[in-house]
Amino acid sequence: MDGMPGFKFGAYALAHYALAKREEMWDLLVWEGKHPQAPVSVAMKTHYFCELDVKETVRALLHSCPDFWRSEQMRASLESGEFIALAPDYFVQLQLSYSLKPLAAMTSHFSR
């Protein structure tokens, strides 16, 4: 797991959580490569995480793994605020759109 200290933000959270809770959520990871990666392979060659389809993986986690979003790994990735600093305009617009919509409309945004 030598490459994992270089992971930042959500990548750090996802990699650490996925390996720690692999029995619960490994099947939710969506891979772009020819085949899914085995946890043992990814633990030894962490650059395999680069083969994740991030959009589809996030969608799967939103629907089927709420514990990831409440995890210590995710919380730690947000503490510095740098995560939001990557695209502040996007997060401002997203927050504004959410504050103007009912709850049902907000959750449908993630089901597309």
Side-chain angles (χ1 to χ4, degrees), residues 59 63 107-112:
R59 183 174 288 146
H63 288 290
T107 56
S108 69
H109 171 77
F110 294 111
S111 62
R112 288 188 256 158

Side-chain angles (χ1 to χ4, degrees), residues 10-11 13-15 17-18 25-33 48-66 68-69 110 112:
L14 179 59
Y17 188 86
M25 60 89 62
W26 198 264
D27 290 338
L28 299 174
L29 302 179
V30 180
W31 301 92
E32 289 183 336
Y48 284 171
F49 274 115
C50 295
E51 295 181 17
L52 278 177
D53 181 329
V54 175
K55 182 179 175 183
E56 293 303 318
T57 295
V58 168
R59 183 174 288 146
L61 293 174
L62 282 168
H63 288 290
S64 303
C65 193
F68 168 69
W69 304 103
F110 294 111
R112 288 188 256 158

Side-chain angles (χ1 to χ4, degrees), residues 54-55 58-59 62 69 78 82-99 101 106 109-112:
V54 175
K55 182 179 175 183
V58 168
R59 183 174 288 146
L62 282 168
W69 304 103
L78 297 171
E82 292 180 62
F83 184 87
I84 294 173
L86 293 174
D89 292 340
Y90 171 78
F91 287 104
V92 167
Q93 291 303 317
L94 187 64
Q95 180 60 38
L96 286 173
S97 72
Y98 282 174
S99 64
K101 292 181 181 177
M106 290 190 305
H109 171 77
F110 294 111
S111 62
R112 288 188 256 158

Side-chain angles (χ1 to χ4, degrees), residues 2-42:
D2 295 336
M4 287 178 54
F7 290 3
K8 291 185 173 185
F9 314 122
Y12 172 90
L14 179 59
H16 283 80
Y17 188 86
L19 290 170
K21 305 286 186 175
R22 60 190 166 276
E23 292 84 16
E24 299 169 23
M25 60 89 62
W26 198 264
D27 290 338
L28 299 174
L29 302 179
V30 180
W31 301 92
E32 289 183 336
K34 294 179 183 177
H35 56 81
Q37 298 294 340
V40 172
S41 299
V42 177

Side-chain angles (χ1 to χ4, degrees), residues 70-84:
R70 293 187 293 262
S71 70
E72 182 58 38
Q73 292 90 344
M74 190 63 182
R75 191 174 308 114
S77 76
L78 297 171
E79 281 180 349
S80 71
E82 292 180 62
F83 184 87
I84 294 173

